[in-house]
Amino acid sequence: MTGAPLPRPYVSYVYAYPHKTAYRPLPGRPELAALWADEPKDALSLYAHIPFCEVRCGFCNLFTRIGAPDELTTRYLDALDRQAAAVREALGDAPARFAAAAFGGGTPTFLTAAELERLCDIAEHRMGADLRAVPLSVETSPATATADRLAVLAGRGATRLSIGVQSFVDAEARAAVRPQRRADVEAALGRIRDAGVPVLNIDLIYGIDGQDEESWRYSLDAALAWRPEELYLYPLYVRPLTGLGRSGPAESDGEWDARRLRLYRLGRDHLRAAGYEQVSMRMFRRPGAAPAGPDDHACQTDGMIGLGCGARSYTSALHYSFDYAVDMREIRSIIDAYTETGTRDFSRAQVGRWVDAAEARRRHLLQSLLQAGGMELAGYEKRFGTSAHEDFGAELDRFAERGWLDGTAPEGLLRLSAEGLGPELFSPDVRAAMAAYEPK
Ligand SMILES: C[S@@+](CC[C@H](N)C(=O)[O-])C[C@H]1O[C@@H](n2cnc3c(N)ncnc32)[C@H](O)[C@@H]1O
Ligand code: SF4
């Protein structure tokens, strides 16, 4: 294929496929009991979403609000408790078994120590997740990673704490509209290590205004000094309605893409030289460190129960959640509506996207290919009864022509090259739905 413009890298890397911007209100609001009736329930994942932060960082488009006035956290946890009861009931009599749990956000440690105890109680007693027996991953931030909260999480069985640092250079944090001081970040990392949770993950961002090779290496080294079991390197995305999205780019798209690609390669090579293994485009793991939480490779076949108003849930046929927004005012009203939802309304899915057989195949391919380890062709064929080349031949040929497939992969393994990308693989339907989404 000649002459076709190469898509820009990093255009729309997503956390999950299909992305929430492809979700729509579900006609008839299906009953959860019917949705889950025939689903395997012996290895579910539990995710609780806490949509509160002390600040709103300039790059962030996650579903979260600043602060929680008027005991909003109490009302939120009350609603989470009602939702958990409704979902538990919908899962039926046969006991559901949870194989992993995670608290994300926002910033789960925005909650006080006592509120975190309550959150763990809801997960254990209402949902039946045995937190001490399964991997439990929790996100935190420098300002909220206090010793009392960390002690609760460690005591309840947290196996992984993931902290957003973004940059160890104060001027870069400011440029990303992430008000924090290096000294406070170091103190938080010390408290996390003292808490004795087995896996520490540090998030860093590359592509921030003013960040160059030297300052990026400086942040990487500052992170490596803590010997974190995991590191996530995120390319900076600037999305509509975020703080940075409003102020506009400081350089042309092409320049910025080129800088991010240079910084990505530098980061990858630097971590590899320090002995880290690349697990996906973003994730790096220290050798010998036990995997202790969900990584990029969201479980392909098992169901997900999401609690909280920003959480997704997945059955094999439907991905669903509550309404989604980025704009602060919209987010606040969705959270308020969530806190007022009664148990009965929690027993139905509201917004979502059906995942038909073709989309399930695509999701498997996309999520496997985003892993450095690639996709076993035989595993695909066993699951779907067709071969990946039969289903995606034209797209894979295009990838090969662009040099995005790793020609050195062993037979039977489909693996992206260092230049390979994921979002290209979105289906036309999902891309159209995402494009038609009106940011709010
Ligand atoms: C829920 S936060 C982590 C925990 C905590 N809220 C914090 O910020 O410290 C998720 C992570 O996603 C990454 N992230 C979010 N939006 C991003 C964007 N627009 N570009 C790059 N990375 C982003 C950041 O590295 C951030 O730490
Ligand atoms: S990056 Fe973290 S602390 Fe900042 S707004 Fe997003 S979720 Fe909140």
Side-chain angles (χ1 to χ4, degrees):
M1 200 158 102
T2 51
L6 285 180
R8 292 179 53 206
Y10 305 132
V11 172
S12 52
Y13 191 89
V14 290
Y15 293 92
Y17 180 83
H19 189 251
K20 265 197 202 172
T21 47
Y23 289 13
R24 293 293 180 271
L26 293 164
R29 302 184 56 221
E31 291 268 7
L32 300 189
L35 291 174
W36 284 96
D38 298 324
E39 295 285 319
K41 294 186 262 294
D42 55 342
L44 297 173
S45 295
L46 179 66
Y47 177 77
H49 183 252
I50 305 299
F52 306 110
C53 290
E54 296 193 315
V55 292
R56 175 69 160 176
C57 305
F59 51 85
C60 188
N61 74 335
L62 297 175
F63 189 94
T64 185
R65 58 163 290 160
I66 303 171
D70 306 324
E71 313 214 317
L72 181 56
T73 50
T74 307
R75 286 183 282 125
Y76 188 78
L77 288 172
D78 289 346
L80 203 89
D81 199 2
R82 291 196 297 278
Q83 187 190 7
V87 173
R88 182 69 202 238
E89 166 116 23
L91 289 178
D93 293 335
R97 215 185 66 78
F98 288 92
F103 302 153
T107 308
T109 47
F110 181 91
L111 298 179
T112 62
E115 288 170 334
L116 286 170
E117 291 277 17
R118 183 168 180 213
L119 178 63
C120 292
D121 285 343
I122 293 171
E124 286 189 343
H125 306 144
R126 281 270 188 244
M127 287 311 306
D130 186 353
L131 296 182
R132 284 188 188 79
V134 301
L136 169 62
S137 177
V138 185
E139 288 172 1
T140 188
S141 71
T144 60
T146 57
D148 59 338
R149 290 160 166 133
L150 296 173
V152 168
L153 295 170
R156 301 297 295 249
T159 51
R160 176 180 185 265
L161 284 172
S162 175
I163 184 167
V165 170
Q166 328 309 357
S167 170
F168 282 87
V169 178
D170 286 349
E172 288 176 10
R174 270 196 305 280
V177 197
R178 163 89 174 186
Q180 73 185 13
R181 289 182 316 144
R182 165 88 187 260
D184 297 331
V185 170
E186 297 288 344
L189 287 163
R191 290 192 296 271
I192 292 177
R193 279 311 196 195
D194 289 346
V197 169
V199 172
L200 161 66
N201 173 70
I202 297 179
D203 288 341
L204 295 176
I205 295 182
Y206 55 92
I208 300 171
D209 233 10
Q211 191 181 39
D212 60 16
E213 273 83 346
E214 196 187 331
S215 69
W216 177 223
R217 203 177 293 114
Y218 176 85
S219 273
L220 291 164
D221 283 334
L224 286 172
W226 290 95
R227 304 271 302 135
E229 283 69 23
E230 293 174 7
L231 272 157
Y232 267 74
L233 310 187
Y234 288 95
L236 177 67
Y237 295 105
V238 175
R239 294 179 164 113
L241 303 185
T242 59
L244 294 183
R246 284 181 230 269
S247 54
E251 57 201 323
S252 77
D253 288 347
E255 284 165 351
W256 189 39
D257 285 347
R259 187 156 64 88
R260 282 187 296 180
L261 207 52
R262 277 200 313 278
L263 295 175
Y264 164 69
R265 290 182 180 137
L266 187 157
R268 177 196 63 198
D269 296 347
H270 198 67
L271 295 189
R272 279 195 190 150
Y276 280 68
E277 172 204 355
Q278 181 165 23
V279 179
S280 71
M281 176 185 134
R282 305 180 300 188
M283 185 190 179
F284 295 81
R285 183 180 286 141
R286 206 180 82 194
D295 55 29
D296 270 2
H297 198 31
C299 209
Q300 297 273 9
T301 49
D302 302 317
M304 161 85 80
I305 296 289
L307 298 178
C309 64
R312 302 176 177 83
S313 300
Y314 315 141
T315 69
S316 58
L318 181 70
H319 290 200
Y320 62 93
S321 69
F322 295 91
D323 203 1
Y324 169 74
V326 177
D327 176 74
M328 266 297 161
R329 218 166 359 164
E330 293 282 347
I331 290 177
R332 285 199 295 261
S333 74
I334 295 172
I335 294 174
D336 288 344
Y338 175 82
T339 62
E340 284 155 21
T341 302
T343 309
R344 186 128 45 96
D345 277 330
F346 278 132
S347 66
R348 290 170 176 273
Q350 300 195 5
V351 175
R353 187 166 188 94
W354 294 98
V355 176
D356 62 16
E359 288 289 6
R361 286 169 157 83
R362 186 175 290 279
R363 179 165 187 259
H364 182 103
L365 178 80
L366 201 144
Q367 296 205 322
S368 313
L369 280 188
L370 289 175
Q371 303 303 302
M375 185 183 88
E376 300 278 354
L377 291 168
Y380 179 99
E381 202 159 333
K382 180 156 178 258
R383 180 166 172 205
F384 298 110
T386 48
S387 82
H389 284 283
E390 261 169 67
D391 295 339
F392 297 102
E395 281 163 275
L396 293 176
D397 286 350
R398 213 176 56 224
F399 266 45
E401 280 166 28
R402 287 176 178 168
W404 291 351
L405 292 183
D406 177 0
T408 67
E411 193 156 343
L413 191 70
L414 193 61
R415 194 163 65 190
L416 292 184
S417 67
E419 310 307 321
L421 301 165
E424 243 318 83
L425 278 169
F426 291 2
S427 72
D429 277 0
V430 165
R431 257 184 282 166
M434 288 174 69
Y437 176 80
E438 295 269 344
K440 63 176 187 183

